[in-house]
Structures are given as structure tokens and as C-alpha cells.
Amino acid sequence: MLGKGKIAALGFQHVLAMYAGAVIVPLLIGGALGFNGEEMTYLVSIDIFMCGIATLLQLTVNRFFGIGLPVVLGCAVQAIAPIILIGQDMGIGAIYGSIIVSGLFVLLIAPFFSKVVRFFPPVVTGSVVTVIGLTLIPVAINNLAGGAGAKDFGSMYNLGLGFGTLLLIILVYRFGQGFSKAIAVLIGLVGGSLFAALYKGISLGPVSEASWFHMPKPFYFGTPTFEWPAIITMILIALVSMVESTGVYFALSDITERKLTQKDLTRGYRAEGLAIMLGGVFNTFPYTAYSQNVGLVQLSGIKTRKVIYAAAGFLIVLGLIPKIGAVTTIIPTPVLGGAMVAMFGMVVAQGIKMLGKVNFTSQENLLIIACAVGVGLGVTVVPDLFNAFPSFVRLFTSNGIVAGSVTAITLNIIFNMIPHRKDKKLADPEPQHAE
């Protein structure tokens, strides 16, 4: 029997395991869209708060939503690039309008998604996740060098700080034991920031200016607008997140030795849909099940939902204290970049791991992966390729994640699904009636 103290400690461990990944999403998006210090503080704080709310939705089982597994929800990393692109092309309102509609889409499609999952076999999901990681690596490298457009871009100090942070993460993961491995990224962020503070100093202005307490405000960044290209983009991202979450659900069901039914999955998807819609209303981002917390459940051997309830409680409290959110906004850009190299590289590694389930003796599968990764990475590296197209078309053609996803899904249907139907017809010819 776990006491309250142990439950609290284990819950805070889950917060530490997912905190770095959760705050990096608003930091990257807010930085790319030019948010000021006050806006960044709100964005980080409300994001952490909503991670707690989203997790509670999954833990609370009723007729309509909640899968009831020890799952933690956080911001979907794959949404970073599309959100930045939508914000730059169509404005902040279009970001949150598309997030709200994509959440509604998830809510409505939840009962039918078990049938749609067949369109996302490992060859598709593995390709998509690999493309997601590859499209984010340039962002990490730019930040490691000081941030695109920085006066000291590529300076020895920036490179030393960025690669030093990455080296610290690697050393902690190599020589750390148990829990320290789970928070290797967080240790790297703290260590890199402390070195920067001692060597060059860090401005604590955003922390001193931040308030001690705030309440979430609906539509803090203005009224949402609804643009079809942005909506379709976020629906595609939501579908990828649903597929990833499905993997997390089944991993946790295996760990907890609980068999999942179609109704369980439907409730899980609905909870995510509600979380995404609330994210749009309170100006945060789409949410998905975090796989790093699955590892903690397995590592600790503690499978009770009480621990995750404690984690959700900590997230909500932390999100209501802007000073804590402001601390994360003063992390030097090269330090973030060094951590991102490891994190986004792990996204690529996860994609490759998912591709390990693919039958590589099939030339068709090899071609699906080759074209999906090739198109996704190619569009990311050369985003001006389709500049002659109308702006609403460029939203899709200049987004490597969407381009790679559509390529993988389409080629999988052509090579792996349509032929199977034909083969089935040949294998089961219509019975001949006797005369």
C-alpha cells in the first residue's frame, strides 16, 4: 500500500519526466511567432495547466470519455512546425480556430477510428514519425547556434553551450541510474542554464515581472478564425497523434495486464478530442499521450492511477503560478537547442523503431518509406519549391510533415490495400451454380 508521500513523490517524478517535452512546444512556437516575455510566460503556464486537465480527462472514466489507464497527456511535438507555419501565414487566430475544429473532429470520429486505424500500419506511422523528427532537426540546430538571425549565430560560446548541454544529457543517460535517466533532458537544461548564468549571466527580468498567480483566460490571444487549409492541416496532425496515442494505450494495457475494448479506445480518443478543443479555447496546443511516461510506469512497476492523479494535480498547480512558467522562458537558446537535438533525434529514432515492424522484403514497403521520407524532408529543406502556387495550396506543399504523411497514406493504399482486395477476389471466385 502506497502512502500519500510516496504517491506524491512518484507523481512529481512523472511531471519531471514530461516537463521538458511539454514546455519546449510553447517555447518553440512562441519564439518563432515573436511573442513577448509576458505572452511567453502565459503560454508556458497555461500549457502546463492544460496538460494536467487533459490528463484528468483520460483518468476519469465515464460513459463518454476517459480510458482509465495511467497515461499522461502533453503537447504534441508533431504539431510544432504546422502551427508555426499557420501562424506566420494566417495569424494567431487561425491557429486556435484550426485546433478547436480538429478537436471536434477527433471527438466525432472517435467511435469510427478503430476502422480507420487500418490506414495507418507501421509503414505509414513509422514513416510519418521519422519525417516529423527530421523536419524538426533544423530547428534544433539553428537554436543550438544561437537562433536564426542572432548576431552571435554560430559563435564559439553558443556552440560550446549547445553541445555542452547535449554532452551533459548523454553523460547523465550513460552513467545515471533509474530515475536520473528519465530526467536527463531536464538535468541538461538546468546544467546548461547554470553554466550560462555563471559565465555570462542570465536576465531574471521575466521572472521578477511575472505574477505569483493567474487564472486561465479563454481566447487570451484573440478571437479564433477558421481557415480551411489550416483546419485540414491540424486534422491531419490530430490523426497522426491518435495513431501514436493508440500505441501508448496498447503499451500501457500490456503493462497493466488490462485488455482494451473498442469502447475503451473510443473513450480514450474522445478524451483527447476534448483536451484538444480546450487547448484551442485557452490558447494552448493539441494534446497526445506521452510515451516517456509509459517508460516510467514500466521502470517503477507502479501501475496505479493514483500516482497519475498526483501528477495531474502538480501540473495544474504549477500552471497557475506564472513565476514558475517564467523560469523556463529564460533558458538560453543554445541550451534549448542542445536539448532539442537529443529530443528531436529521439523522435527520428522512435520512427525508425516503428519501421522495425515493417516487412522490408517487400519492395513496395521500401518505396513507400523512401518516397514519404524523401518528399517530407525535401519539402522541408526547400520550402520555396512551390512558391508559384496559391498561398492556401502552399500551406500543404511547403509543410514537410503533411506532404510526407499524404505520400505515405496514398502509397500504402495503392501498394498494400488495393492489391489485397484484388487478390481476395482471385482467391475466392464466385461459386459456379450447377445446371
Side-chain angles (χ1 to χ4, degrees):
M1 188 73 177
L2 290 172
K4 291 181 180 179
K6 286 185 177 179
I7 288 174
L10 288 164
F12 195 64
Q13 177 177 249
H14 274 279
V15 172
L16 292 176
M18 61 82 69
Y19 194 86
V23 300
I24 274 179
V25 175
L27 287 176
L28 277 178
I29 294 172
L33 297 179
F35 285 9
N36 60 36
E38 183 183 343
E39 290 170 334
M40 287 290 283
T41 298
Y42 176 83
L43 198 64
V44 171
S45 298
I46 194 64
D47 173 60
I48 294 302
F49 176 83
M50 287 305 302
C51 284
I53 298 296
T55 300
L56 283 180
L57 290 175
Q58 281 290 23
L59 292 171
T60 308
V61 181
N62 55 49
R63 284 182 58 194
F64 300 103
F65 62 84
I67 198 164
L69 289 170
V71 59
V72 175
L73 269 67
C75 281
V77 175
Q78 59 267 29
I80 293 173
I83 285 175
I84 291 173
L85 191 62
I86 292 168
Q88 290 171 341
D89 286 0
M90 300 182 178
I92 305 299
I95 293 175
Y96 294 113
S98 62
I99 289 174
I100 291 169
V101 176
S102 67
L104 179 62
F105 173 82
V106 172
L107 199 64
L108 295 175
I109 202 177
F112 313 103
F113 193 71
S114 57
K115 298 175 184 177
V116 181
V117 170
R118 65 195 182 94
F119 289 98
F120 295 87
V123 70
V124 172
T125 54
S127 298
V128 170
V129 174
T130 302
V131 169
I132 288 168
L134 291 173
T135 58
L136 292 172
I137 293 297
V139 177
I141 296 299
N142 269 322
N143 280 315
L144 186 146
K151 291 180 181 178
D152 59 347
F153 185 87
S155 68
M156 290 301 294
Y157 171 77
N158 286 343
L159 294 179
L161 191 56
F163 281 113
T165 300
L166 177 60
L167 178 61
L168 178 57
I169 292 170
I170 292 169
L171 290 174
V172 170
Y173 203 83
R174 171 62 182 85
F175 297 106
Q177 297 293 324
F179 176 54
S180 62
K181 284 189 176 184
I183 58 167
V185 170
L186 191 65
I187 292 172
L189 289 171
V190 172
S193 298
L194 286 174
F195 177 84
L198 294 171
Y199 187 81
K200 225 176 184 180
I202 293 178
S203 172
L204 297 176
V207 179
S208 61
E209 292 167 10
S211 60
W212 279 104
F213 180 80
H214 76 155
M215 287 299 291
K217 299 176 184 176
F219 309 120
Y220 178 87
F221 292 107
T223 307
T225 59
F226 302 94
E227 305 284 348
W228 276 112
I231 289 168
I232 294 170
T233 300
M234 292 313 299
I235 284 175
L236 281 171
I237 296 300
L239 285 170
V240 173
S241 296
M242 289 175 79
V243 173
E244 288 187 298
S245 292
T246 303
V248 171
Y249 297 158
F250 280 109
L252 284 170
S253 74
D254 186 59
I255 293 170
T256 58
E257 298 178 350
R258 174 187 153 192
K259 188 176 180 181
L260 291 178
T261 65
Q262 188 172 337
K263 288 183 179 179
D264 291 329
L265 290 173
T266 298
R267 290 197 303 270
Y269 298 140
R270 280 183 183 147
E272 285 201 20
L274 283 170
I276 294 169
M277 289 181 70
L278 288 172
V281 170
F282 288 99
N283 291 166
T284 59
F285 307 109
Y287 292 94
T288 189
Y290 264 22
S291 57
Q292 52 263 54
N293 293 90
V294 177
L296 267 185
V297 172
Q298 196 163 25
L299 186 70
S300 66
I302 308 298
K303 306 168 188 177
T304 174
R305 278 185 289 162
K306 290 180 181 178
V307 169
I308 310 302
Y309 272 115
F314 279 124
L315 288 168
I316 291 170
V317 171
L318 291 173
L320 293 173
I321 306 173
K323 277 197 184 294
I324 296 177
V327 170
T328 63
T329 68
I330 64 173
I331 298 171
T333 302
V335 172
L336 276 176
M340 287 174 201
V341 170
M343 288 190 62
F344 296 162
M346 285 298 287
V347 176
V348 178
Q350 180 64 27
I352 294 170
K353 181 182 177 183
M354 293 167 78
L355 288 172
K357 301 173 184 176
V358 175
N359 176 16
F360 283 110
T361 60
S362 164
Q363 292 296 320
E364 289 85 355
N365 284 339
L366 291 176
L367 188 61
I368 292 169
I369 298 165
C371 290
V373 174
V375 170
L377 186 58
V379 168
T380 301
V381 174
V382 191
D384 300 334
L385 180 65
F386 300 102
N387 268 3
F389 284 31
S391 59
F392 73 91
V393 176
R394 288 205 308 271
L395 184 63
F396 302 107
T397 55
S398 61
N399 186 325
I401 296 171
V402 176
S405 301
V406 171
T407 302
I409 293 166
T410 304
L411 291 182
N412 180 63
I413 292 170
I414 292 170
F415 287 127
N416 290 334
M417 299 185 75
I418 295 174
H420 285 177
R421 291 176 185 170
K422 290 181 179 177
D423 292 345
K424 191 175 180 182
K425 271 190 176 180
L426 291 172
D428 300 314
E430 291 183 12
Q432 300 293 320
H433 296 287
E435 293 184 5

